[in-house]
Amino acid sequence: MVLSLSQTARADMPAGTVSGFNQAVQSGDPVVIVAAAREMGATAIAHPEDPQAVAAAFEAANQLCLRGACADAVPMVTFLSQREESPPVSQAEFDVLKAFAIWSASEGDAAADDAFRAVLAANEAAQPSLLTVSAFEAFYVPATQTSDWDEITSRTGMTASHLKPVRDLVPDRWAIAELLSATADFNENRDFASYDKISDLAAWLRGKRRDEALKVPLRSLDYQAMAWRYALGAYFRSFENVSFSNVSRDGRFKYENEFDQAEERAEAILAEFPKTMSSEPPFCSGKVVKPPRPTYPSSAARRGYVGAVVLGVDFEDGEISNIEVLASIPDDTFASASVRGMKTFRWKFDEVQEEPGCTRTKKTAMIYPFEYVMR
């Protein structure tokens, strides 16, 4: 009898596995991409001898975590952890992917939460990638559904720090984390550092919106930061932060110097952005002949609430056509009073215009902030 040894067959992934996944990614449809990632990840695990199995498992897990289905990536990161070959990324980035997947599937497990926090903290100063940005953001979102201000400050602050080197690429995502960090810090500590952070952010957003491409995407964040700056300004200018002399009731603000420094810093931040010429005609010049007169809501006064509202005023053929609440802090408490007060506002256009091509019709022709201060 002659015995022959046969070579073990290599079980490659079915033809078209990778190309089908690539087509799904190129479609941009999250549902299609998640389905394709699940399929390719399972196929890679089932065909470990395929030379592309490691890369395929990583790409599948990566896309699942980018698309909000990171819990489904656990089998892939487990498979990758057991392989001798390294994934096609740094060990640090793979550690983020692994911790992200396990945390996503843990349903609030404290050990998984601590492990994920430790991995993110170790990568806070690392160069951001799409994966790490998604991981940091996912980690802070659950905390924002609570009133644990210290935890929100910690998680959003870590995220803002990680995103800052690429904030010009993801301005909205960085600004959201920075704003949440500053406002949570204020709610927890009530110190002036939170005003400084929001003042800097508001100036940065205003400067970024000089870019026509960002004017609309950053509009809401710009006005939210502006309203928060006025709201915190109202708090630090309110009665408990004012010291009155024995002679006069004209008190000096406790934080007068800090306000001046914040304003100087905001001007410096804004000066870093180039001024752009708008293609739209300028709004015709004029002056306020009757200022708005809002009334402090009695319910807010009884509770000692301070706040701020930012209104936008539209003009059509020289007349106010619409008043829009652009932002209201801390909630809608002061919004109605501001809109009512704005209805007394009167504007008169200059008879002689320096810009003959100016317009008397413009959406959000004016931005009017209201600051509600307790004295």
Side-chain angles (χ1 to χ4, degrees):
M1 181 186 301
V2 178
L3 297 177
S4 63
L5 296 176
S6 60
Q7 184 177 7
T8 302
R10 188 176 70 191
D12 289 345
M13 293 187 293
T17 298
V18 175
S19 61
F21 170 78
N22 289 336
Q23 289 176 4
V25 172
Q26 291 171 4
S27 75
D29 186 330
V31 175
V32 172
I33 294 171
V34 167
R38 287 174 179 148
E39 182 178 353
M40 187 171 78
T43 302
I45 293 170
H47 299 81
E49 299 298 326
D50 191 301
Q52 298 186 83
V54 169
F58 171 79
E59 288 301 332
N62 186 50
Q63 285 297 325
L64 287 170
C65 289
L66 292 177
R67 309 290 171 176
C70 201
D72 293 343
V74 170
M76 291 132 217
V77 297
T78 302
F79 168 75
L80 291 167
S81 298
Q82 297 168 348
R83 302 286 294 186
E84 293 184 1
E85 308 100 307
S86 299
V89 291
S90 67
Q91 185 61 46
E93 183 135 345
F94 177 67
D95 289 344
V96 172
L97 176 66
K98 182 178 179 180
F100 190 5
I102 293 172
W103 175 81
S104 299
S106 71
E107 297 182 351
D109 178 71
D113 198 75
D114 289 343
F116 193 25
R117 183 195 298 272
V119 168
L120 293 179
N123 285 274
E124 183 177 341
Q127 180 64 24
S129 67
L130 288 175
L131 174 64
T132 62
V133 169
S134 296
F136 275 88
E137 289 179 329
F139 187 60
Y140 82 63
V141 167
T144 63
Q145 309 305 310
T146 73
S147 56
D148 187 342
W149 303 119
D150 190 52
E151 185 67 9
I152 297 171
T153 302
S154 172
R155 296 191 184 205
T156 56
M158 186 166 58
T159 302
S161 173
H162 182 65
L163 268 61
K164 191 171 183 178
V166 294
R167 63 179 179 175
D168 287 329
L169 300 176
V170 287
D172 54 338
R173 297 168 79 167
W174 174 76
I176 289 170
E178 183 78 349
L179 183 60
L180 286 170
S181 173
T183 54
D185 184 40
F186 171 76
N187 283 322
E188 177 69 17
N189 299 308
R190 296 290 198 274
D191 59 32
F192 201 85
S194 52
Y195 177 88
D196 280 336
K197 185 179 284 190
I198 286 178
S199 177
D200 291 353
L201 173 61
W204 186 83
L205 284 167
R206 197 156 64 252
K208 290 298 287 185
R209 289 192 69 214
R210 286 178 176 176
D211 183 343
E212 286 293 326
L214 296 175
K215 191 175 290 289
V216 173
L218 296 181
R219 182 178 189 265
S220 177
L221 276 168
D222 180 16
Y223 296 137
Q224 285 181 49
M226 185 188 300
W228 269 107
R229 181 170 67 85
Y230 280 106
L232 266 60
Y235 173 82
F236 289 111
R237 289 187 178 96
S238 290
F239 59 88
E240 61 184 24
N241 289 309
V242 175
S243 57
F244 294 103
S245 71
N246 294 327
V247 179
S248 171
R249 296 297 290 177
D250 295 328
R252 278 180 61 84
F253 294 123
K254 182 174 163 182
Y255 297 98
E256 185 174 24
N257 291 335
E258 286 87 344
F259 275 118
D260 290 342
Q261 292 168 8
E263 186 62 31
E264 290 174 5
R265 195 170 56 253
E267 290 175 359
I269 292 171
L270 195 58
E272 295 175 0
F273 294 90
K275 293 183 178 180
T276 56
M277 298 297 292
S278 174
S279 57
E280 298 179 358
F283 188 60
C284 293
S285 63
K287 58 181 177 294
V288 176
V289 294
K290 188 176 182 182
R293 298 190 180 280
T295 302
Y296 212 114
S298 56
S299 59
R302 285 196 302 271
R303 297 173 185 175
Y305 283 3
V306 297
V309 177
V310 178
L311 298 182
V313 181
D314 300 347
F315 274 74
E316 186 172 349
D317 296 329
E319 300 293 334
I320 294 177
S321 61
N322 182 50
I323 299 171
E324 179 185 3
V325 178
L326 300 174
S328 182
I329 302 298
D331 47 37
D332 292 335
T333 300
F334 299 101
S336 296
S338 300
V339 172
R340 284 195 300 270
M342 196 68 198
K343 289 180 179 178
T344 66
F345 171 82
R346 296 293 181 268
W347 173 264
K348 182 178 180 181
F349 288 99
D350 295 334
E351 293 183 7
V352 179
Q353 295 290 333
E354 294 183 3
E355 298 282 351
C358 67
T359 180
R360 298 189 178 202
T361 297
K362 188 174 183 180
K363 183 171 177 58
T364 320
M366 296 179 186
I367 305 297
Y368 233 101
F370 292 86
E371 188 180 69
Y372 292 85
V373 181
M374 293 291 290
R375 296 286 172 83

